[in-house]
Amino acid sequence: MMELTSKQRKVLEKAAHSLEPVVIVGQNGVTDSLVDMTKEQLKQHELIKIKFNEFKEEKQTLSGQLAESCDATLVRIIGNVAIMYKESEEDDKKVYAKALAKAAAKTSANV
């Protein structure tokens, strides 16, 4: 799990804007199969949205637990949708690495 600067979060939020949720938290909550599905989606896409149809009151806690279980980073929760990021292990699938590095460089240059 990586720590994101505010500029890096903005980059990922902007990239996630056009994405549709690929994981839905329903009446069963966060189960082992939901964790497995989330891991698989993160492996395929790096950046995903998770929609809470149920457990809306616990979305903050459940999102944090899900991110931890998947070794991913919770970018932000907007409404009932969580944005999660995990950098791909394969170099040719790293879509956001350059943009995040550029945002990190801007942050360190401003400090």
Side-chain angles (χ1 to χ4, degrees), residues 23-38:
V23 177
I24 308 291
V25 178
Q27 64 186 7
N28 295 328
V30 178
T31 61
D32 289 342
S33 62
L34 187 101
V35 171
D36 292 341
M37 183 190 333
T38 304

Side-chain angles (χ1 to χ4, degrees), residues 66-91:
L66 188 56
E68 194 173 308
S69 297
C70 296
D71 195 32
T73 302
L74 180 61
V75 178
R76 177 108 44 232
I77 298 174
I78 301 170
N80 291 315
V81 177
I83 302 169
M84 211 167 283
Y85 171 76
K86 182 176 181 185
E87 186 174 68
S88 177
E89 295 171 6
E90 300 174 37
D91 288 339

Side-chain angles (χ1 to χ4, degrees), residues 2-49:
M2 65 188 284
E3 288 293 321
L4 297 172
T5 65
S6 61
K7 290 189 188 307
Q8 289 174 317
R9 284 186 195 282
K10 287 287 183 199
V11 167
L12 292 174
E13 285 175 33
K14 186 175 179 182
H17 184 71
S18 62
L19 298 178
E20 291 296 319
V22 293
V23 177
I24 308 291
V25 178
Q27 64 186 7
N28 295 328
V30 178
T31 61
D32 289 342
S33 62
L34 187 101
V35 171
D36 292 341
M37 183 190 333
T38 304
K39 286 179 182 178
E40 185 59 37
Q41 292 298 324
L42 283 165
K43 191 174 187 179
Q44 289 180 20
H45 303 289
E46 281 191 311
L47 185 67
I48 64 169
K49 283 184 176 178

